[in-house]
Amino acid sequence: AIFRHDEGQTELHEHPVASMEELSAFAQHIPFEAARRRGRAVGEPFFAGGGRTPLVALAFAVDGPDGRRWVVAIGLSFRSICAALGEPSADIRELLVDGGKRILCGGDAGRALAESPSLLTASAALPGGWRVVTQQERARAFAASRALERQHRALLGAALVAALVAGLFLARRINRPLGRLADGARAGARALRA
């Protein structure tokens, strides 16, 4: 079971007690050899007891009383991280993904990350090959820009029609006086010949 302090309320008082199945899964995921070699190691995330919250084993090598290297392991729950990422909204999914592209937090926990041309995906790398990923349907992500594009095209078309109408109007206003000027120049030329 996990440590519980009986005197007053602590941060752990609401934490669920680990079952034997969870403790067994934890024991199987402790990176003993890596901790002995490097002094510390982080295990692969795992789901225990059918839970939706991933756990990871942190292992530290220490000198034991008999002179041999011991490994002290701590189970770290991603419960608060998963709660911070929240459940997927209608628009955007926020996910924590491991190096194997398995979703750890943020809906569909334990499943592989969906990759599709219909999804717009952005991610940020974290230590250990993990990533924070956001996904949104491409059509929904670009809906506002497409509407703006349609508005701009309509405005451009209206401006083109207005420019043509204004051009025709100005051309008529300029052509009438130019026509009278040309008629006067021809009449003056005939008068000079005669």
Side-chain angles (χ1 to χ4, degrees), residues 97-145:
V97 179
D98 69 10
K101 295 187 177 181
R102 180 178 52 151
I103 298 172
L104 300 175
C105 296
D108 296 331
R111 293 188 174 169
L113 177 67
E115 295 185 52
S116 166
S118 68
L119 291 174
L120 184 62
T121 302
S123 68
L126 299 172
W130 298 359
R131 301 188 80 69
V132 174
V133 177
T134 57
Q135 290 184 324
Q136 185 176 26
E137 289 291 330
R138 192 174 290 275
R140 188 134 176 130
F142 292 114
S145 64

Side-chain angles (χ1 to χ4, degrees), residues 19-89:
S19 68
M20 283 307 290
E21 183 182 357
E22 290 169 323
L23 290 173
S24 176
F26 169 68
Q28 292 173 13
H29 287 87
I30 297 172
F32 287 104
E33 293 307 316
R36 283 190 188 111
R37 279 193 318 273
R38 296 190 307 254
R40 64 179 181 262
V42 178
E44 289 296 317
F46 64 97
F47 295 87
R52 293 181 40 90
T53 302
L55 304 163
V56 67
L58 306 176
F60 303 91
V62 296
D63 293 327
D66 59 357
R68 294 187 327 184
R69 297 286 278 176
W70 288 17
V71 173
V72 175
I74 301 168
L76 179 65
S77 169
F78 285 37
R79 183 171 55 156
S80 61
I81 295 169
C82 292
L85 288 174
E87 288 298 314
S89 70

Side-chain angles (χ1 to χ4, degrees), residues 172-188:
R172 285 185 136 184
R173 290 205 59 178
I174 292 172
N175 278 342
R176 284 187 188 139
L178 284 178
R180 286 195 299 264
L181 180 62
D183 289 343
R186 281 193 284 276

